[in-house]
Amino acid sequence: MEYTIEKLLAEEQWKQLNVIEGKESCKRKIEGIRIIEVPEMARYLTGGELLLTSLYVYRDCSAEEFYQYLIAFEEKHISGILLKEREQISEKEKKIKLLKTYCESKKIPLIEMPKKISFWEMISFVMNRIFTKDVARLRYFKLTQDNFNTLSFGRDITSSKTQDILELLSDMVDNPVTLYYSNLNCYVTSGGDHSRLELREDLEEYIPSVITKFSYMRQRKKGTGEIQYVIKISVMEEVEAYLVVTEKNRKLSAMDCMAIENAIITLQYGFVTEFVQNEIEKKYHRDIVHNVLSGMLGKEEAANLLEIHSEEYYRVVTFYTFQKERGDMYTSEQLRETGIIEGEIMTLCPGQHVYRNIDQIVMIQRVDEKQKREVYLNKMEEMCAVLQNAIRYRHKTEKIQVGIGKMVKGIYNLKDSYYEAKRAISYRDIAKVISGNENQTVTLYSDLGFFKLLGDIDDLNTLMDYIPESLQRLYSYNKPQRKDLILTLQTYLDNNQSLNKTAQALFIHYKTATYRIDKIGKMTGMDFKNPNEMLNVRIGLILYKMLEKAR
């Protein structure tokens, strides 16, 4: 049964449509439906189509040229034109007047379409009326594919170009669309919400009603309860991102899933192009940075290439990933994960020099020499937490460790800072013992102090030579109270030898703390009033922890 303009206008859903010209010709059969994508659209029509336009494609042509494009439609016997007005079109009023004149003379229905109605909503509706389900889906897939291809050809995928793709997809599905980095930070969104993506416990696999190349997940958005569709995008097993469509305005249909498929393919094409270009640039950049840190490149030449300024301050930071179940060699999958982490660090530290050298990631970081050490280290710990969360979301088991070299001015001592950063990674276990924090991820080489001298000792039993005899007597005390006495001594020294604070920290009575310290003194001969001996005891306690950890 034929589907005509008249039947379309009679649909309850489209009561807002208003026929401007050609009311007497509304019995025309709709053979297809297309958006006018280029001024020469007539050459791409098969005949009998309902055309949709905002005249935007004619924005730069003159009124005379515009009318010639209209005349070209004559031999295609179009069924009608749906017009949605848009600003920023030169000679807009004159062109609309010409369009009305053309439609009146050719008896073509010209229908005004409210701005709030999406072209793609209309296309999906009409296709489902004039074609069978399978044909409608096939044609819709091809139409969305053509539109994304038109948008992407000749363009690199940058933030603004990706924005165009997401805006088009959002228009097609009539819902907000957002692209997230693999660390779940927002890259580009069609809406106003730039917050991080939260993958919730109710995240579940979703199988759309169309053939798909991608893995869909579904969850409810925190706070609103809206359904979110999360689709993971990967390119060459190196670039990872998440495309998220939120059902804010209406539920997704099978045709919407087709549009999503084409959008992802377009994004992947752009990402591949960008990835290859970036790999060439990164290799060139990596060689320069490597030669600078190895002392193989002239300092002035390197400073100019890397834009490292002689009056600014820098640190070299090294990132390593570790796994309990890994030998000396990294698998290809672990190396790919390191590449993903490299990209995340570049995102979190824009403008810094970051490069990957097989299993390590090196960053020449511009720093503020006036920034307090604690503030700087806290920021680095926070960044590591973000990286670790992203690793966990990818269901990987790598653990991030960071080594930081000394602050240097300009390029001349970067080599020394790099040496320290690598050594800091080697001493990470010592740093954890010194701080008493097994979860510490960031090691500043200068914080190791005296213990840097002990890091190269191969026979750990040699460390006993640095432990005072009085402390050795305490550790040799073979009775159940030994553990409590050692803990009390450590807490006593950590609290500047205050018995009150020691008792409070250990949740014991003041007299119990006093009794234990007196007992330690009598048993070991420690002189708590001798600052030199107390310093040696503090060092000895750390050395014992190092020995226990090694064993």
Side-chain angles (χ1 to χ4, degrees):
M1 189 173 179
E2 293 185 350
Y3 192 76
T4 63
I5 297 291
E6 185 178 52
K7 289 181 178 179
L8 175 66
L9 295 171
E11 300 278 3
E12 185 65 30
Q13 185 174 346
W14 309 120
K15 291 295 185 183
Q16 312 99 311
L17 299 180
N18 177 39
V19 182
I20 304 173
E21 298 291 345
K23 291 182 181 180
E24 71 281 5
S25 304
C26 287
K27 293 189 181 295
R28 289 194 179 208
K29 179 183 177 182
I30 302 175
E31 302 279 0
I33 183 167
R34 294 289 300 269
I35 298 173
I36 299 179
E37 301 159 12
V38 293
E40 305 88 352
M41 191 66 194
R43 68 174 65 176
Y44 302 106
L45 301 179
T46 57
E49 289 94 344
L50 173 62
L51 301 181
L52 298 88
T53 184
S54 64
L55 301 186
Y56 187 69
V57 294
Y58 304 110
R59 63 191 178 280
D60 296 326
C61 66
S62 67
E64 291 73 18
E65 290 171 328
F66 171 65
Y67 196 71
Q68 291 303 312
Y69 290 130
L70 293 179
I71 292 173
F73 288 133
E74 194 169 337
E75 62 184 33
K76 297 297 180 176
H77 306 290
I78 60 176
S79 60
I81 297 177
L82 284 173
L83 174 65
K84 186 194 296 188
E85 287 195 35
R86 184 168 179 170
E87 303 298 329
Q88 299 176 333
I89 298 171
S90 64
E91 300 183 280
K92 184 179 77 169
E93 297 303 326
K94 189 174 183 180
K95 288 173 181 176
I96 291 176
K97 187 175 180 180
L98 286 171
L99 178 60
K100 289 180 179 180
T101 301
Y102 172 78
C103 290
E104 182 183 17
S105 64
K106 303 300 178 184
K107 294 183 170 50
I108 297 173
L110 176 61
I111 305 164
E112 186 178 32
M113 185 177 184
K115 291 181 180 179
K116 65 180 181 180
I117 298 178
S118 164
F119 279 165
W120 292 98
E121 185 181 2
M122 176 64 72
I123 290 170
S124 175
F125 181 90
V126 171
M127 281 190 172
N128 279 312
R129 294 299 184 278
I130 64 176
F131 302 124
T132 64
K133 183 176 76 171
D134 290 340
V135 172
R137 288 185 176 187
L138 182 62
R139 296 225 179 179
Y140 190 81
F141 183 86
K142 182 65 170 63
L143 187 58
T144 57
Q145 184 182 59
D146 290 345
N147 273 261
F148 282 118
N149 287 343
T150 300
L151 196 61
S152 65
F153 282 154
R155 295 182 171 194
D156 298 327
I157 290 295
T158 62
S159 178
S160 61
K161 303 304 183 292
T162 305
Q163 181 80 48
D164 292 342
I165 294 172
L166 262 61
E167 292 287 356
L168 177 56
L169 178 59
S170 178
D171 194 26
M172 290 176 176
V173 302
D174 193 27
N175 279 305
V177 183
T178 306
L179 187 66
Y180 295 90
Y181 293 107
S182 58
N183 63 9
L184 308 184
N185 286 330
C186 175
Y187 175 45
V188 173
T189 180
S190 68
D193 185 3
H194 290 80
S195 59
R196 294 184 79 245
L197 172 63
E198 182 177 344
L199 298 179
R200 309 194 67 201
E201 292 182 358
D202 66 342
L203 185 68
E204 61 181 2
E205 183 181 6
Y206 172 74
I207 301 176
S209 58
V210 296
I211 298 174
T212 176
K213 299 178 181 178
F214 307 104
S215 174
Y216 285 67
M217 303 293 285
R218 184 171 62 178
Q219 67 177 12
R220 287 196 177 274
K221 185 177 180 181
K222 184 178 180 180
T224 65
E226 296 162 343
I227 297 294
Q228 287 185 315
Y229 294 88
V230 182
I231 305 104
K232 185 177 180 180
I233 305 174
S234 61
V235 178
M236 301 175 69
E237 299 183 329
E238 293 279 354
V239 179
E240 287 192 345
Y242 293 97
L243 183 73
V244 177
V245 181
T246 304
E247 282 186 350
K248 189 177 184 69
N249 302 320
R250 64 172 176 82
K251 290 185 177 182
L252 291 190
S253 66
M255 286 186 168
D256 292 331
C257 292
M258 292 178 179
I260 291 170
E261 296 282 310
N262 280 318
I264 294 175
I265 292 169
T266 305
L267 289 169
Q268 283 183 317
Y269 171 80
F271 286 147
V272 167
T273 304
E274 184 188 33
F275 176 75
V276 172
Q277 292 173 344
N278 283 349
E279 282 301 299
I280 295 171
E281 292 175 5
K282 280 163 57 177
K283 185 180 185 306
Y284 174 70
H285 185 262
R286 179 167 60 241
D287 291 344
I288 295 174
V289 175
H290 175 74
N291 289 338
V292 167
L293 298 180
S294 303
M296 298 166 58
L297 189 65
K299 297 292 190 293
E300 291 185 6
E301 178 187 3
N304 290 332
L305 289 171
L306 297 176
E307 297 184 351
I308 293 177
H309 304 292
S310 60
E311 297 303 314
E312 292 186 337
Y313 289 83
Y314 302 86
R315 289 186 188 272
V316 177
V317 182
T318 57
F319 300 80
Y320 280 82
T321 58
F322 295 91
Q323 283 187 324
K324 290 183 179 179
E325 303 299 327
R326 182 179 62 80
D328 294 333
M329 297 296 293
Y330 275 71
T331 66
S332 57
E333 182 180 351
Q334 288 161 353
L335 291 175
R336 282 196 298 271
E337 178 66 17
T338 303
I340 293 170
I341 295 169
E342 176 194 17
E344 292 172 338
I345 293 171
M346 294 174 75
T347 301
L348 293 170
C349 303
Q352 309 290 6
H353 298 289
V354 181
Y355 86 99
R356 174 170 45 127
N357 184 14
I358 305 178
D359 60 340
Q360 72 166 331
I361 301 166
V362 180
M363 174 169 67
I364 300 176
Q365 184 183 35
R366 188 185 303 107
V367 294
D368 180 0
E369 77 278 12
K370 296 179 182 178
Q371 187 178 47
K372 290 185 178 180
R373 168 191 163 281
E374 293 79 9
V375 174
Y376 171 73
L377 289 179
N378 284 339
K379 287 186 176 181
M380 294 303 292
E381 288 280 3
E382 289 172 2
M383 183 176 74
C384 285
V386 171
L387 293 172
Q388 199 64 63
N389 285 337
I391 291 171
R392 188 174 69 254
Y393 283 129
R394 292 192 293 273
H395 304 292
K396 303 296 182 181
T397 58
E398 282 82 357
K399 299 293 183 183
I400 288 280
Q401 289 292 316
V402 178
I404 303 176
K406 65 182 177 181
M407 185 189 304
V408 298
K409 191 174 183 180
I411 200 171
Y412 286 92
N413 294 309
L414 279 176
K415 181 181 177 182
D416 298 334
S417 184
Y418 179 46
Y419 171 82
E420 290 191 359
K422 291 191 296 182
R423 298 295 286 172
I425 290 290
S426 301
Y427 296 156
R428 65 189 183 280
D429 289 336
I430 296 176
K432 291 177 182 179
V433 170
I434 294 171
S435 67
N437 179 10
E438 278 296 315
N439 297 319
Q440 178 177 321
T441 56
V442 177
T443 302
L444 183 61
Y445 186 75
S446 59
D447 281 355
L448 295 168
F450 157 79
F451 295 96
K452 290 181 284 190
L453 301 175
L454 306 176
D456 294 325
I457 296 177
D458 295 326
D459 183 5
L460 291 177
N461 289 322
T462 306
L463 294 176
M464 292 296 293
D465 295 339
Y466 297 91
I467 299 175
E469 291 182 1
S470 58
L471 186 60
Q472 291 186 38
R473 292 191 195 103
L474 177 59
Y475 271 82
S476 299
Y477 184 57
N478 193 20
K479 289 193 177 181
Q481 296 88 353
R482 186 186 72 160
K483 187 175 180 180
D484 288 339
L485 292 175
I486 293 172
L487 178 60
T488 302
L489 175 61
Q490 178 76 67
T491 308
Y492 181 60
L493 295 176
D494 288 344
N495 285 281
N496 296 317
Q497 297 178 239
S498 167
L499 287 169
N500 275 325
K501 291 181 179 178
T502 300
Q504 291 172 7
L506 295 175
F507 301 101
I508 59 176
H509 196 276
Y510 174 83
K511 289 184 178 181
T512 303
T514 304
Y515 167 77
R516 289 181 183 177
I517 294 299
D518 288 344
K519 184 172 183 177
I520 292 169
K522 291 174 183 178
M523 181 195 314
T524 64
M526 285 183 191
D527 182 0
F528 293 108
K529 294 181 180 179
N530 185 333
N532 288 330
E533 182 173 358
M534 289 301 97
L535 175 61
N536 288 330
V537 169
R538 290 179 67 88
I539 293 172
L541 286 167
I542 293 173
L543 294 178
Y544 263 118
K545 290 180 181 178
M546 290 170 60
L547 286 168
E548 289 173 354
K549 191 175 183 68
R551 290 168 182 163

